[in-house]
Amino acid sequence: MSTEQKVSKDAQAEPTKYSLYKYQHMLKPCPLCGGRARLKTNEYERKKMQEYNPHVQFSLWYCVICINCGLRINYLSSMEEAVNCWNRRIK
């Protein structure tokens, strides 16, 4: 599967272990160190915020981080955006 392929629209739904695993394999190595990248969510922070304010719905966001050197992209609103942003390289 090409990493340039567009990720399907199910990336905007609540993440499951399967969907995170599926998109994890689409990530290119880190552009700085060549290390392995990992897709992360703000799920823990979102749950904590909802405990303090249950009347407000907090959005789920996604980011990619290199587990070797710590390079990361900012949180984005979908897995598709996060994967495509990480995989983008200047030619």
Side-chain angles (χ1 to χ4, degrees):
M1 177 180 281
S2 170
T3 55
E4 297 299 322
Q5 283 181 324
K6 286 284 188 186
V7 179
S8 64
K9 293 297 179 191
D10 68 344
Q12 295 179 5
E14 287 290 314
T16 62
K17 286 184 180 181
Y18 172 74
S19 63
L20 288 173
Y21 177 79
K22 183 171 88 173
Y23 297 115
Q24 182 73 34
H25 290 293
M26 298 175 74
L27 295 171
K28 290 182 180 179
C30 176
L32 293 181
C33 71
R36 197 168 127 220
R38 171 160 273 157
L39 187 61
K40 298 270 190 179
T41 68
N42 69 333
E43 190 169 356
Y44 175 78
E45 293 86 357
R46 185 179 76 146
K47 285 181 181 179
K48 283 293 189 188
M49 292 299 290
Q50 285 179 336
E51 286 177 11
Y52 293 114
N53 195 349
H55 304 293
V56 178
Q57 289 293 338
F58 294 94
S59 299
L60 187 63
W61 295 86
Y62 305 89
C63 79
V64 178
I65 186 167
C66 173
I67 61 173
N68 188 40
C69 72
L71 178 71
R72 60 169 272 183
I73 60 169
N74 285 332
Y75 281 101
L76 298 167
S77 61
S78 74
M79 280 189 259
E80 176 182 358
E81 287 179 293
V83 170
N84 289 337
C85 183
W86 179 265
N87 288 341
R88 192 174 319 135
R89 303 287 195 260
I90 297 174
K91 295 181 180 186

